Structure formats: C-alpha cells, structure tokens
Amino acid sequence: MASHLKDVLLVGFGAVGAIYSLILKRSGVARVTAVARSNYDAVNAHGLYIKSRKYGELQGWKPDRLLRSVAQALDRPYSYVVITTKAIPELIRTSTLLEPLLQPEYADKYPQPTYVLMQNGLNVEVDLYHALKKLNASEEPRIISTAVWIGTGMLNSNTVEHSEFDRVSLGMYRPTTTNTENTPEETAILEDFAHILAAGGTETTVVPEIQRVRYSKNFWNACLGITAALTRFPLTAVFRPPHLAPGASQTAPPPPEPSSPSQEPQTPSALATADIPSASPAISAYAIPLLYDAMNEVYALGTVLFPPSESGSPGIDPDIVHKTLVNTSRLHARPEANHRASTLVDVENGRPTEVEVILGELVRMGRREGVPMPRIETFYALMLIIQNQLLQQKKASL
C-alpha cells in the first residue's frame, strides 16, 4: 500500500495547516511531511492536541514526518506542496519560503510538484508563479489556488480547536482572468487533489475560475475582518443587540429614544441596511452603512475585474454585499456567538497581519483600474499604522 501513497509536503503548521494535514492523512492516500517553523519543538515533543467537533479529540497526533524547514524536505519528490502559512510578503515571500525546492539541486533531480496555496487574500500566487517561470520558462507552472472556509484556531503552540466545518473551493491559478475554462489537464490535476481532500473528510468544489471566488471571499476579510482588527472588538460589538448579549434578559429591544440617531434623516445606505441587527441605534445609523458602502466599493472593482462572460461566467453576485452583511449579522447577533476574526486575533497577539494581500492588493487594483475606493483606502491607511508597529515589534524580538 505504501508505494501508492502520494507524498505531500505541507508548509505552515498553524491552525489551518494542522487541520488540513489531518485531513490529508485521513484520506489514506497521502503521506504527509509537515514543516512546522515556529512550533516544531512543542509538536515534536508532544504531538498535536486536536479538539474538533467534526473529527473528534486527538491527543498527540503527528503527520508522517515533522520537519523544521523546507530545506530538510529535499530527499524526495512531492506530488503536491501545500502552503498554509499566512501571506505576509513584508516578512517573507512565498518564493523565498519555498526557495530550496526552486534551486537547481532539487529541480534538476525531481519534477516540480503541483503547488497548492491555501491562503487568504488576493494575488498571493503571483510571486510563486514568476519564480517557477524563471526556473523553467517553457513550462506553465501548476498552481492550485483555493478559497478556504474553516473555523479553527491555535490555543497554544500544539493545541488546535476546530469547529464542525471546513470546505474549500479549488481552481488553477492563471495570470489572466479572461480565461474562465479548465483544460482537460487542469481538470485532472484539480480533481485528483480534490479527491484526496474529500477522502479526508473536507467538502470540496472544483471551479473553472478561482480568482472570482477568492475575490468574493475577500469582501468579508477586507471589510468585516478588518473592522474587528481596527476596533479591537469582535463583530458581536457591531451586530449583537443588547437584549441578546450573554446575561441580558431575552426580551424585545426597547424603542429608540426620541433623540437617538435613528430619528435623524436616513441615508440611502442606512435605509438599505435597516434590516441588519445592530449593537446600538448609532451603529445602525453610521457604522453598518459605512461597512455597506465599503463593500460596495469592493463590488464596483469586482464588476470591472470579473465581468460576466459569454462562456457562462456569472461575474460577481450582485447581491453579495447585502448577503454578506445579513449572514454575518445573523451569526454574530446570537448570544452564544464567540467568533474572533483572524486579523483581530493577530493584532491581539502582536502578530503582523495579512493587510497587504487583503487590503493593499484591493487598493492597488482599484487605482490601476480607475475605480475610486476612499473607504477601503482609509481602512488600508489605518491598518498600515498598526502593521508598522507589529512589524517593528517582531523585528525587535528576533
């Protein structure tokens, strides 16, 4: 049986990497080598303690091999190299992280693997794509890009908490968004990796154009996740009415005071979001309409980048802004809601954030396409101040 296993190298052993290494191993068809950079010692000594509502409690779990660095993993060819690190180019570029695999010593000995990027944000594939083209200009790089929805977090260096869901959309990265169909070869690559993930228990969807799906997911990260990081409060602070807060009497909310902001003339954005639950009348009048307007800037750029096509591409869902607000408010208004956006968790823990791939890329694409994004640019400018401090603190600690 061992000879039929596919070797998979997974780089980044945080919350997402830990759960997906488990899923890959559970498939029964993958032999998993994981690179744990910051938490190698803890995982090597004790294994992972995985507390998952979906996969159960696992004490002392380990992949087939655990290594400190990519440089230690050069003893074999890999079918797939999965990158689950956070995309923070100010700290390390993907091509630098994977440099040992891109050196002639390795590349001349073994065929290049298919690379799978399981990271938030936009244009995270560009750097690796160019590095692979430089390595072999005659071959089109095989890069699977993904959009991952998962509820997971690290409680300490080797304890992972995971909810009941994880799903992933997969598509081939292409440097242009005009080609929206997979070739038979691309379909075979995508279906093979999707089969491994599905056999391990995750929900998979193979899509013809992954960039549109990634862009749609970034609405949430760029506006809602970033708002949590900027305010230093989870999204319950935006969407949970006081009567639904833990410990409050679960009665209907009191009518607004005559002088409250809800009595002022309402803007079109406030009227459009009037059905969204909120933590106060003022938040309903000002904060939620701001989020609506910011997401509409992202939508306006999306219609330029991903127009509907004759080949059947639907473009960006015209109802995505309202749907995103409704779904998020529904989840965060509940008394038991305790989700903390990953960007907020990074800021709380003094870790640099993914601001460049979540917001910076939007701002740069907006300027390139001539689409004004004043609210997104404001979020970006404020996050850059936070990011600068976090980067300085990280440098000082090294």
Side-chain angles (χ1 to χ4, degrees):
M1 171 65 192
S3 61
H4 299 301
L5 292 176
K6 294 194 175 189
D7 272 296
V8 178
L9 176 64
L10 183 136
V11 184
F13 215 53
V16 174
I19 295 301
Y20 272 97
S21 64
L22 171 67
I23 288 166
L24 288 163
K25 186 89 179 93
R26 278 170 51 92
S27 73
V29 294
R31 182 167 41 217
V32 182
T33 299
V35 173
R37 295 179 304 155
S38 60
N39 58 344
Y40 172 85
D41 289 331
V43 178
N44 190 47
H46 308 291
L48 280 177
Y49 177 24
I50 297 174
K51 299 198 283 188
S52 170
R53 292 208 288 274
K54 180 173 178 181
Y55 301 113
E57 292 215 4
L58 300 165
Q59 282 273 22
W61 185 87
K62 286 184 180 179
D64 295 287
R65 296 199 304 169
L66 186 74
L67 305 175
R68 282 186 191 275
S69 69
V70 175
Q72 295 179 335
L74 306 181
D75 62 339
R76 65 188 65 185
Y78 295 96
S79 298
Y80 299 97
V81 173
V82 182
I83 297 95
T84 50
T85 56
K86 291 198 176 235
I88 306 174
E90 309 97 300
L91 287 178
I92 187 167
R93 293 190 166 276
T94 304
S95 58
T96 308
L97 179 66
L98 300 176
E99 194 167 15
L101 299 169
L102 309 176
Q103 294 296 324
E105 296 81 14
Y106 184 84
D108 292 346
K109 192 173 181 182
Y110 300 117
Q112 277 293 302
T114 297
Y115 291 90
V116 184
L117 297 183
M118 302 183 89
Q119 298 174 306
N120 279 330
L122 304 173
N123 296 331
V124 298
E125 313 88 351
V126 175
D127 179 58
L128 178 60
Y129 178 86
H130 288 306
L132 288 166
K133 281 300 267 186
K134 194 174 171 185
L135 184 69
N136 185 351
S138 64
E139 188 175 273
E140 193 59 14
R142 293 187 310 280
I143 299 175
I144 295 176
S145 189
T146 67
V148 179
W149 289 266
I150 186 169
T152 185
M154 296 294 288
L155 300 185
N156 57 42
S157 54
N158 70 321
T159 305
V160 189
E161 201 168 46
H162 174 240
S163 67
E164 63 288 321
F165 81 93
D166 47 78
R167 61 188 175 91
V168 56
S169 292
L170 308 92
M172 296 304 292
Y173 170 72
R174 292 182 281 263
T176 168
T177 58
T178 52
N179 179 3
T180 57
E181 289 181 51
N182 290 321
T183 65
E185 184 195 17
E186 288 172 336
T187 300
I189 293 168
L190 289 166
E191 288 184 348
D192 182 67
F193 191 69
H195 165 73
I196 297 172
L197 291 180
T202 201
E203 185 185 328
T204 61
T205 309
V206 171
V207 298
E209 42 161 358
I210 188 63
Q211 296 307 320
R212 182 176 59 85
V213 179
R214 288 182 68 94
Y215 191 89
S216 299
K217 182 175 185 274
N218 203 54
F219 274 76
W220 195 96
N221 292 326
C223 299
L224 294 161
I226 290 295
T227 292
L230 285 170
T231 61
R232 302 285 182 102
F233 283 100
L235 292 172
T236 49
V238 179
F239 298 113
R240 185 156 65 197
H243 72 284
L244 291 180
S249 60
Q250 309 289 300
T251 55
E257 295 294 320
S259 60
S260 77
S262 61
Q263 302 302 306
E264 298 171 11
Q266 288 194 301
T267 64
S269 302
L271 290 169
T273 56
D275 61 331
I276 306 291
S278 71
S280 80
I283 287 170
S284 185
Y286 294 99
I288 293 174
L290 167 73
L291 293 171
Y292 177 81
D293 290 338
M295 276 197 254
N296 271 303
E297 293 175 4
V298 182
Y299 176 74
L301 176 60
T303 60
V304 174
L305 296 173
F306 304 99
S309 71
E310 291 175 12
S311 64
S313 167
I316 301 291
D317 178 0
D319 202 27
I320 189 170
V321 172
H322 195 255
K323 272 186 198 164
T324 302
L325 281 171
V326 167
N327 292 340
T328 305
S329 66
R330 189 182 296 137
L331 287 171
H332 289 83
R334 300 178 305 175
E336 68 274 17
N338 62 0
H339 174 257
R340 302 180 87 75
S342 64
T343 311
L344 168 62
V345 174
D346 286 339
V347 172
E348 287 176 331
N349 287 292
R351 292 191 297 255
T353 69
E354 296 173 294
V355 60
E356 286 300 340
V357 295
I358 289 173
L359 282 174
E361 287 299 315
L362 276 178
V363 168
R364 288 183 281 275
M365 290 192 292
R367 289 187 174 186
R368 201 159 55 235
E369 300 292 344
V371 177
M373 308 181 81
R375 294 166 189 84
I376 293 297
E377 292 208 11
T378 301
F379 288 170
Y380 180 49
L382 293 174
M383 277 302 298
L384 285 176
I385 299 169
I386 295 174
Q387 181 79 340
N388 188 51
Q389 290 299 309
L390 296 171
L391 288 168
Q392 285 184 19
Q393 288 166 21
K394 183 164 182 73
K395 281 175 190 162
S397 70
L398 293 176

